[in-house]
Amino acid sequence: MGDHELVNGGVVRPSQNPETNKMITALVVDDNMINQTLHRRLLQNMGIENQAVGNGREAIDVHYSGKVFDLILMDLDMPVMNGIEATRKLREMGIRSTIAGVSSHSLDENIQEFVEAGLDDYHQKPLTFTKLVSILRKINHDS
């Protein structure tokens, strides 16, 4: 299942989950409205259906309501429940979505704890097109 696999006579687009042939869905978890907007627009520009929540607790609640996402973009520093706690809880709940940490943090111990909580990938803010493509390739390979 490589990047060039043919599905229905065409190449799998980065915005499609090769396992289901459905559009990739994403959840943006960030308390900063500017970051939420930037990340959502970047995802939308790639044809990825997405929604946003403002903290880790809301991310947990969305999953309890039955929503499932292919990708979760998780901020580290948020009120109510931070990204480390939320990632750990989502994994305990059995959530298998690709979780990519996106943070302005550069301290190794914070990043290490974040990764150990269950991240599949980590990128420093700002999230760019190139970084998002890298994350999407991880979804394609892990599916």
Side-chain angles (χ1 to χ4, degrees), residues 76 84 88 105-119 122:
L76 175 59
I84 294 169
R88 196 173 286 128
H105 263 274
S106 58
L107 296 175
D108 288 340
E109 63 269 11
N110 290 338
I111 295 168
Q112 186 62 35
E113 186 180 3
F114 203 5
V115 169
E116 288 171 359
L119 291 185
Y122 174 84

Side-chain angles (χ1 to χ4, degrees), residues 6 13 17 26 38 40 47 56-57 69 72-74 81 92 96 100-101 110 114 116 119 124 140 143:
L6 295 179
R13 295 185 356 205
N17 182 329
L38 290 173
R40 291 198 71 203
R57 179 78 250 161
F69 302 90
I72 301 169
L73 296 176
M74 182 73 71
M81 181 184 282
E92 288 170 4
R96 296 183 57 207
N110 290 338
F114 203 5
E116 288 171 359
L119 291 185
Q124 198 160 356
N140 290 341
S143 292

Side-chain angles (χ1 to χ4, degrees), residues 77-89:
D77 290 319
M78 296 177 287
V80 184
M81 181 184 282
N82 70 29
I84 294 169
E85 295 170 283
T87 299
R88 196 173 286 128
K89 179 67 177 167

Side-chain angles (χ1 to χ4, degrees), residues 55-134:
N55 62 60
R57 179 78 250 161
E58 292 176 8
I60 301 298
D61 291 344
V62 164
H63 283 84
Y64 274 134
S65 76
K67 284 272 207 167
V68 178
F69 302 90
D70 298 299
L71 171 63
I72 301 169
L73 296 176
M74 182 73 71
D75 187 23
L76 175 59
D77 290 319
M78 296 177 287
V80 184
M81 181 184 282
N82 70 29
I84 294 169
E85 295 170 283
T87 299
R88 196 173 286 128
K89 179 67 177 167
L90 287 168
R91 292 304 189 210
E92 288 170 4
M93 291 168 57
I95 302 301
R96 296 183 57 207
S97 308
T98 296
I99 303 177
V102 184
S103 176
S104 54
H105 263 274
S106 58
L107 296 175
D108 288 340
E109 63 269 11
N110 290 338
I111 295 168
Q112 186 62 35
E113 186 180 3
F114 203 5
V115 169
E116 288 171 359
L119 291 185
D120 296 294
D121 205 351
Y122 174 84
H123 290 276
Q124 198 160 356
K125 285 182 184 175
L127 188 63
T128 62
F129 176 81
T130 304
K131 290 175 184 177
L132 184 55
V133 167
S134 170

